[in-house]
Amino acid sequence: MPLVEETSLLEDSSVTLPVVVIGNGPSGICLSYMLSGYRPYLSSEAIHPNAILHSKLEEGRHLSIVDQDLEYLSEGLEGRSSNPVAVLFDTLLHPDADFGYDYPSVLHWKLEQHHYIPHLVLGKGPPGGAWHNMEGSMLTISFGNWMELPGLKFKDWVSSKRRNLKGDRVMPEEIARYYKHYVKVMGLQKNFRENTYITSVSRLYRDQGDGDGQDRNISTQHLQIEKSKLIKRNWEIRGYQRVADGSHVPFCLFAENVALATGTLDSPAHLEIEGEDLPFVFHSMPEFGAAIGKGKLRGKADPVLIVGSGLTAADAILCAYNNNIPVIHVFRRRVTDPSLIFKQLPKKLYPEYHKVYHMMCTQSYSVDSTLLSDYTSFPEHHVLSFKSDMKCILQSISGLKKIFKLSAAVVLIGSHPNLSFLKEQGCYLGHNSSQPITCKTNPVEIDAYTYECVKEANLFALGPLVGDNFVRFLKGGALGVTRCLAMRQKKKHLFVERGGGDGIA
């Protein structure tokens, strides 16, 4: 019997799902794949280039990676993620990738249906999440095979579509189609619901003495008084689903566990300065791309101001450059700052980004010079304000102010996830509970091996929310969550079998 209808979410489901995943990007898709019973094993012919790791894998060859000690396997490994399981899973799927090697994965996958954990994956759009909204003309920062999910090689999918893969890097729209196809070909569709918007995720409480086991919401005041008599139970997830005629159908679901896989691209970060809400100030590449596509900036003599020193800002610069639009590029850091992303990218693989970085270093503004015809950088500057006459005021680190006339401004300084459905906007889950959750500076604080939130039991987070922005590393989150839930399920069954439970597993 299906837990929920195939076509829509039930308005009031009496069933409590073991897991609800919020977000249907690559994090949510990969988690669904593993919750559906797909298990990774060491391939019989595989030899991992890391001899110590390989000997550990040989010890548990008869076991799937999900059933092994992830802390033991992760010990001593290093990589470009602060999450040890992310580094472990990446090195199993892409051995020595950071050294430029393209070794095959040492894993093979088996579908073991008895390991299926019922779950739902909720997303605003089709499977693939934010990849469906990314600027189509830019190449992905990662190689195509680094974007792939377990069990379906990206190159095999591309060749099946009779498309030529001219290089290792690909267009975002190609990746979005791959993720959508992946859900279908892996048989995961029954777990996915599109066009769903979450309005609240809240704890339910139950009186310890209640015989009927009815869940109910308790007021905060009641909680203070009766806390000792209450135990935390399930999650209540409320929201609505947008249907074909445009109307909104509300739903209410109950879950034992919730996994947050929303990514961090929902709310672009703002400078929080005067005039930032003026119509000529954009905060995303799609907005900027649309303005160029409509010809609004074509032939304008005044430059476009681009704020930011990351790859999205570099994409905007390339976009303007390729459309013959002059650029003023403002960023707070020095061009020699070792934390600039450009310093971490090999020149041969990312020539266009190194072109931007070269311009940042060599075409900077000086008091003696005027703006250059195509591009001028303003390192160690920030924007003080935007004016309604399309002017902006910049200030240098020394306090010197400059005024420029613009044709548009694009502020690309990062983004925040939308966790408005959680209490305190989810801030309480971060390492610094007084600040909003961000991928780089304040990720969700999790247990390193289970991905369970330190400050909230039965709530998990993975992907950019925990600092893993690259698809390569977010797959580790799916492994950590799946292992945790599988172990708890096993313990629950043992408890029931020994007669310690109430007969309900």
Side-chain angles (χ1 to χ4, degrees), residues 60 75 109 112 222 229 232 242 248 254 290 377 439 467 477 502:
E75 191 179 18
W109 293 81
E112 299 175 346
H222 190 150
K229 295 182 182 178
K232 286 185 178 182
R242 200 162 57 193
H248 294 172
F254 301 100
S377 74
C439 175
D502 55 7

Side-chain angles (χ1 to χ4, degrees), residues 39-42 57-69 73 107-108 110 112 490:
R39 289 289 182 266
Y41 288 83
L42 180 65
L57 293 167
E58 283 286 4
E59 291 169 20
R61 180 178 278 282
H62 61 292
L63 295 171
S64 81
I65 303 299
V66 173
D67 297 312
Q68 296 187 44
D69 183 340
L73 293 178
L107 302 177
H108 72 104
K110 293 180 186 177
E112 299 175 346
K490 198 179 290 183

Side-chain angles (χ1 to χ4, degrees), residues 174-199:
E174 201 84 276
I175 296 294
R177 280 201 289 268
Y178 163 79
Y179 290 144
K180 192 174 179 182
H181 177 77
Y182 181 92
V183 168
K184 186 177 180 182
V185 79
M186 293 299 174
L188 308 179
Q189 283 175 308
K190 67 179 185 296
N191 305 313
F192 281 71
R193 297 294 178 274
E194 299 178 20
N195 303 314
T196 58
Y197 298 79
I198 310 300
T199 54

Side-chain angles (χ1 to χ4, degrees), residues 117-166:
I117 297 176
H119 62 281
L120 270 185
V121 183
L122 309 178
K124 295 176 185 174
W131 285 93
H132 290 280
N133 304 320
M134 289 187 190
E135 182 64 25
S137 62
M138 301 298 167
L139 291 171
T140 60
I141 185 66
S142 298
F143 298 150
N145 65 328
W146 288 359
M147 316 297 289
E148 69 192 18
L149 298 179
L152 179 63
K153 286 190 173 297
F154 181 75
K155 285 180 179 175
D156 292 347
W157 175 77
V158 169
S159 60
S160 74
K161 297 291 174 187
R162 297 198 178 118
R163 292 190 184 93
N164 293 320
L165 201 59
K166 292 179 181 176

Side-chain angles (χ1 to χ4, degrees), residues 7 35 63 73 107 114 116 196 259 273 294 330 372 381 399 424 445 477 504:
T7 52
L35 292 177
L63 295 171
L73 293 178
L107 302 177
H114 61 284
Y116 176 78
T196 58
I273 58 172
K294 291 173 184 172
V330 174
L372 299 170
H381 279 70
E424 298 172 23
E445 189 178 6
I504 300 171

Side-chain angles (χ1 to χ4, degrees), residues 75-108:
E75 191 179 18
L77 297 178
E78 294 180 357
R80 289 190 291 165
S81 169
S82 57
N83 296 311
V85 177
V87 175
L88 166 67
F89 207 29
D90 177 66
T91 197
L92 296 175
L93 292 167
H94 307 288
D96 281 357
D98 284 334
F99 297 108
Y101 295 106
D102 190 19
Y103 293 137
S105 168
V106 298
L107 302 177
H108 72 104

